[in-house]
């Protein structure tokens, strides 16, 4: 009887681990970068994640570029209009930092998850 209980507990634990890993390769929501322009005005740029799509939206919707993204470990690769950028996602998934640039997102850009 003890062996059956131990076996059942191990199966439940394994199932919980597998289920908790489901969906970890997707982001959902808005990540916002706030900065100040040359005139001293605050600007916002937003990465909007939904399923496997991402949109890069400029200050006050001045532009919107659609693309895709993938996650590998804590790296997020965004591809928009044939250009790819890779950012590092924090463990809590609240911060996305781009350390280099291929011309799409400036190096050093930090996007913070917006609470809704």
């Amino acid at each position: 009887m003890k062996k059956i209980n131990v076996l059942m507990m191990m199966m439940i634990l394994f199932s919980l681990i597998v289920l908790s890993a489901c969906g970890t390769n997707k982001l959902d929501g808005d990540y916002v970068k706030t900065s100040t322009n040359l005139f001293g005005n605050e600007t916002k740029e937003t990465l909007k994640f939904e399923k496997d799509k991402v949109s890069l939206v400029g200050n006050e919707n001045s532009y919107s570029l659609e693309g895709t993204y993938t996650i590998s470990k804590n790296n997020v690769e965004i591809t928009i209009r044939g250009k790819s950028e890779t950012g590092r996602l924090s463990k809590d998934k609240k911060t996305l930092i781009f350390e280099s640039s291929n011309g799409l997102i400036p190096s050093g850009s930090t996007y913070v998850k917006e609470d809704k």
Side-chain angles (χ1 to χ4, degrees):
M1 190 66 161
K2 284 185 178 184
K3 287 183 181 182
I4 292 174
N5 286 339
V6 170
L7 182 60
M8 289 296 286
M9 291 301 286
M10 289 179 67
M11 288 177 62
I12 290 170
L13 181 60
F14 178 75
S15 297
L16 289 173
I17 292 170
V18 168
L19 289 175
S20 69
C22 290
T24 57
N25 286 335
K26 298 292 178 200
L27 294 177
D28 189 34
D30 296 350
Y31 286 74
V32 178
K33 175 183 79 166
T34 305
S35 57
T36 304
N37 66 16
L38 294 173
F39 303 107
N41 299 323
E42 183 180 271
T43 62
K44 290 184 180 182
E45 185 173 69
T46 305
L47 287 168
K48 295 177 178 262
F49 292 93
E50 186 177 348
K51 298 181 182 175
D52 62 344
K53 304 287 184 200
V54 62
S55 299
L56 178 63
V57 180
N59 194 47
E60 297 179 13
N61 295 317
S62 59
Y63 59 87
S64 181
L65 306 171
E66 307 283 321
T68 59
Y69 74 97
T70 57
I71 299 176
S72 177
K73 297 185 182 179
N74 66 332
N75 292 319
V76 178
E77 183 177 356
I78 294 172
T79 303
I80 298 175
R81 293 188 176 177
K83 292 187 178 186
S84 294
E85 299 287 354
T86 301
R88 186 174 31 85
L89 186 64
S90 64
K91 287 184 182 184
D92 63 3
K93 293 188 176 185
K94 297 214 183 246
T95 307
L96 182 56
I97 301 170
F98 293 87
E99 296 172 343
S100 62
S101 177
N102 290 325
L104 183 64
I105 296 173
S107 178
S109 294
T110 300
Y111 293 80
V112 179
K113 174 115 179 172
E114 192 173 69
D115 293 325
K116 291 195 175 195

